[in-house]
Amino acid sequence: MRQIGMLAMVTAILAGAGMANAAEKTADYSFEYRYPAQAGQIPALRAWLEADKTRLRTQTARDAAEARVDARKDGFPFRQYDTQKIWKLVTDTPRFLSLSGDVYSYTGGAHGTPGSVGMLWDKAARQRIAPKQVFASLPAVQAALGPAFCTRLKAERRRRVGAVADKDGLFSKCPTLKELTVLLGSSGGRRINRIGLIADPYVAGSYAEGAYEVTLPVTPAVIKAVKPAYRGAFAVGR
């Protein structure tokens, strides 16, 4: 294990809250992983998050060590790797615990790679599912949310980059739901009544533009596209 310039692993478990923060910095890499208290209070979900943290840390350490060896062998500077995964609470309803994840990795290139992920914990089934799995028909959700999302996205791209947003052939097409991160939210904490849609860098615009996020209300058409087993957990939003 490399000793020079290494800070010891710091893992804080907040008593009674189940909140976990892990941060580590060595000469080869930096690593950070966090998740909220609500997730830590569910044993099965906490176990998955801890396993995910261990997997990411192990992979980062291995890849960074290999990159340092290659850099020395080929005679070019080694740049410290960086991995981050920060889970945040979106909402906690009687049926679902909804989380969003901000992810970032840097492996020595011109810049790092940011991204986003979504997760649901189904309290009734006691299992982790992807937000898109609550829908029986993605095409139906696309039809219900797509036009409003595309209108909002176009306006925001125009605000950020100007008229070029209407002429950029690479990003002239609005991304579909399959290309977006989906987050399920609630304004009152009882039922899911709004949906967040995130287009990560390079999905709807250049890296420099950053991510685009649009939040839309749940509509009757959206609820119709939800699997029957989950419909009771949804409500029309405003």
Side-chain angles (χ1 to χ4, degrees), residues 76-153:
F76 58 83
F78 169 78
R79 295 186 175 91
Q80 185 187 60
Y81 276 34
D82 186 15
T83 297
Q84 301 170 29
K85 194 167 189 178
I86 313 299
W87 292 102
K88 300 175 183 177
L89 178 68
V90 178
T91 194
D92 188 359
T93 71
R95 180 63 186 265
F96 294 120
L97 179 71
S98 176
L99 302 178
S100 66
D102 296 330
V103 297
Y104 175 83
S105 67
Y106 177 74
T107 56
H111 54 71
T113 303
S116 62
V117 290
M119 184 205 298
L120 286 178
W121 179 261
D122 183 344
K123 297 177 183 180
R126 298 181 181 180
Q127 65 180 7
R128 179 178 55 88
I129 62 175
K132 293 176 187 177
Q133 287 183 285
V134 304
F135 300 112
S137 171
L138 281 183
V141 181
Q142 178 69 44
L145 298 177
F149 170 76
C150 292
T151 297
R152 295 268 296 274
L153 173 64

Side-chain angles (χ1 to χ4, degrees), residues 165-222:
D166 298 321
K167 301 176 181 178
D168 188 347
L170 183 61
F171 300 111
S172 59
K173 291 185 178 180
C174 184
T176 66
L177 199 68
K178 290 182 179 180
E179 302 171 89
L180 305 175
T181 297
V182 174
L183 305 176
L184 302 187
S186 173
S187 60
R190 297 300 301 170
R191 296 184 182 183
I192 301 299
N193 64 0
R194 57 188 181 185
I195 297 179
L197 302 172
I198 302 175
D200 290 327
Y202 297 125
V203 173
S206 67
Y207 181 87
E209 292 173 55
Y212 288 94
E213 182 170 357
V214 172
T215 300
L216 299 172
V218 168
T219 65
V222 170

